[in-house]
Amino acid sequence: MKKVIYILVALVALGAIGYKLLNNKEQMAANAAVAKIKSDAIPVTITEVASDKLDKSFTAQGNFAPIQSLTLMSETQGQVKSVLKRKGDKVKAGELLVQVESNTMAADLATAQTNAEKAKRDLERYENLAAGDAITKRQLEDARLNVKTTEAQLVAARQRLTKTRITAPISGEINEIYVEVGSYLNPGTKLYDIVNVDKLKLKVKASESEVLLINKGDKVTVKADAGSGEGYEGVVTAIAAQADPTLKFDVEVEVKNAGNNNLRAGMYGTAFFEVADQRDAMLLPREAIVGSIQNPNVYVVKDGVANARKVRVGMVTQNQVEILDGVQPGEQIVRSGQINLREGMKVTMMK
């Protein structure tokens, strides 16, 4: 009896499973049918070809660089006696930074001074003797040559003593220091990195069409990508005469770092180039173009069907493209959704 009950339970379970699978199959078939119906029309957004003012203004991004930057090297040798400026300190051109031991240089200067004075006295005595033919012309010439030699040695000794006082060659801020009191210097020893950020250069790149709209001396609005978004007035100071391998031209914009030096070298910045020259043109959004600007196409929608059409473009701005040929004003163009489109496919317009 129990065996019969087990068999009945198993049959009921198998029947339930089969019924569930059948229902799932029917549901999947229904979903597939709905998906097929929906896939008959691709959802897209539409824009119309319209005539409007072509704004040639554009933006370009780059990095801020200091107006001046240098690594100060030692021109003397000796032990560092004092370090007067450290990392983060502001300095002015000519301000003392490091004092190097100068006793030896001072002694050399005193010796050179004595030798120069003696040479002058010897020359005066030889000139008096030469007037009475008491010495040869060769001896007189040697005395004159000795004066010139000792004077040159005196100048060199003064320079060596002067170079024990290491001063700032430019105004700016100490970005890095490489010496301490007690360090021994040789000519060429690295001492400081000094940067001047009272003014900065924003280095950006412009395309071949954009660079023709820029001139040296043009006023530009500059903003740092970080910070409060405060605008700074910049001036175009340099435009590259030759493009780089990507056909971009280097452009430098000089910016005064007013206030508390809120701009820092290395920050990202954006330059806004405003171009006053505007004209009427047939325009489309940049995203409506399929393919590259060199080989542009658009999808024209008519009677709910999208057809690809080749166009000829003119001026290209940040978000608009001038259409010279290929479409007519009032025609409907696919603005987004082209990734799923093929020639002759039906479309449905999204709002």
Side-chain angles (χ1 to χ4, degrees):
M1 186 65 179
K2 288 183 179 180
K3 189 174 182 180
V4 173
I5 293 173
Y6 288 151
I7 293 173
L8 290 174
V9 169
L11 290 174
V12 170
L14 289 172
I17 292 171
Y19 178 75
K20 182 65 175 177
L21 291 174
L22 182 62
N23 279 348
N24 288 346
K25 185 176 180 180
E26 291 176 352
Q27 184 64 39
M28 290 171 65
N31 291 341
V34 171
K36 184 177 180 180
I37 293 172
K38 289 183 178 179
S39 66
D40 287 342
I42 303 298
V44 296
T45 59
I46 299 295
T47 186
E48 287 191 359
V49 181
S51 181
D52 202 351
K53 293 289 184 183
L54 176 62
D55 186 1
K56 298 180 183 178
S57 300
F58 64 95
T59 62
Q61 291 184 313
N63 292 91
F64 288 105
I67 195 71
Q68 290 177 300
S69 176
L70 64 82
T71 297
L72 181 61
M73 302 287 193
S74 171
E75 295 182 80
T76 187
Q77 65 181 27
Q79 191 175 43
V80 174
K81 289 299 182 183
S82 60
V83 175
L84 287 81
K85 294 293 181 179
R86 296 196 167 272
K87 186 173 181 177
D89 290 345
K90 292 186 179 297
V91 298
K92 293 182 179 180
E95 192 171 0
L96 183 62
L97 303 177
V98 172
Q99 178 63 61
V100 180
E101 182 274 321
S102 60
N103 291 338
T104 302
M105 305 300 181
D108 290 343
L109 177 59
T111 300
Q113 182 74 47
T114 301
N115 291 338
E117 291 173 355
K118 181 180 182 300
K120 287 180 180 180
R121 289 195 300 268
D122 289 344
L123 178 59
E124 290 176 359
R125 187 169 61 255
Y126 278 8
E127 286 175 340
N128 291 332
L129 292 172
D133 293 329
I135 62 170
T136 64
K137 289 183 178 180
R138 175 64 182 271
Q139 288 174 312
L140 180 59
E141 288 300 321
D142 288 344
R144 288 173 177 167
L145 180 60
N146 190 39
V147 168
K148 292 181 179 179
T149 301
T150 54
E151 286 180 345
Q153 290 171 347
L154 178 60
V155 170
R158 283 180 181 146
Q159 284 186 328
R160 288 195 295 271
L161 180 61
T162 300
K163 288 177 180 178
T164 62
R165 288 175 49 86
I166 300 173
T167 59
I170 63 171
S171 298
E173 185 173 321
I174 304 296
N175 195 56
E176 193 59 76
I177 180 173
Y178 300 99
V179 294
E180 289 293 342
V181 173
S183 300
Y184 190 85
L185 304 184
N186 284 305
T189 301
K190 190 184 293 187
L191 304 174
Y192 289 98
D193 288 336
I194 305 175
V195 295
N196 184 353
V197 292
D198 291 338
K199 291 182 181 179
L200 292 169
K201 293 180 292 186
L202 180 63
K203 298 182 177 182
V204 301
K205 291 185 179 292
S207 67
E208 56 185 358
S209 60
E210 293 168 343
V211 77
L212 297 176
L213 304 173
I214 309 172
N215 295 296
K216 286 181 69 174
D218 285 353
K219 298 291 177 59
V220 179
T221 300
V222 173
K223 292 183 179 179
D225 293 357
S228 61
E230 178 184 356
Y232 298 83
E233 184 179 278
V235 178
V236 177
T237 55
I239 303 172
Q242 181 176 345
D244 64 16
T246 65
L247 299 181
K248 295 282 189 177
F249 293 82
D250 291 323
V251 178
E252 287 187 3
V253 179
E254 187 175 295
V255 184
K256 283 187 178 180
N257 198 6
N260 297 322
N261 285 359
N262 292 326
L263 298 178
R264 295 283 174 174
M267 282 183 171
Y268 287 104
T270 302
F272 299 85
F273 296 87
E274 293 186 12
V275 181
D277 180 27
Q278 296 187 356
R279 57 182 171 80
D280 289 329
M282 196 159 54
L283 303 176
L284 279 177
R286 176 66 181 84
E287 60 265 34
I289 301 298
V290 179
S292 66
I293 294 298
Q294 286 72 32
N295 187 28
N297 290 271
V298 297
Y299 278 106
V300 181
V301 177
K302 186 176 181 181
D303 299 329
V305 176
N307 292 288
R309 190 181 300 176
K310 188 174 182 60
V311 294
R312 187 162 61 92
V313 303
M315 185 73 186
V316 179
T317 66
Q318 293 288 318
N319 50 22
Q320 289 184 315
V321 177
E322 179 186 14
I323 305 298
L324 301 177
D325 191 23
V327 293
Q328 298 298 321
E331 285 191 301
Q332 294 186 322
I333 309 297
V334 175
R335 179 170 184 159
S336 64
Q338 306 98 315
I339 191 171
N340 298 315
L341 278 182
R342 298 293 182 272
E343 174 68 22
M345 293 185 71
K346 294 180 180 180
V347 297
T348 179
M349 300 180 192
M350 295 189 302
K351 294 184 179 180

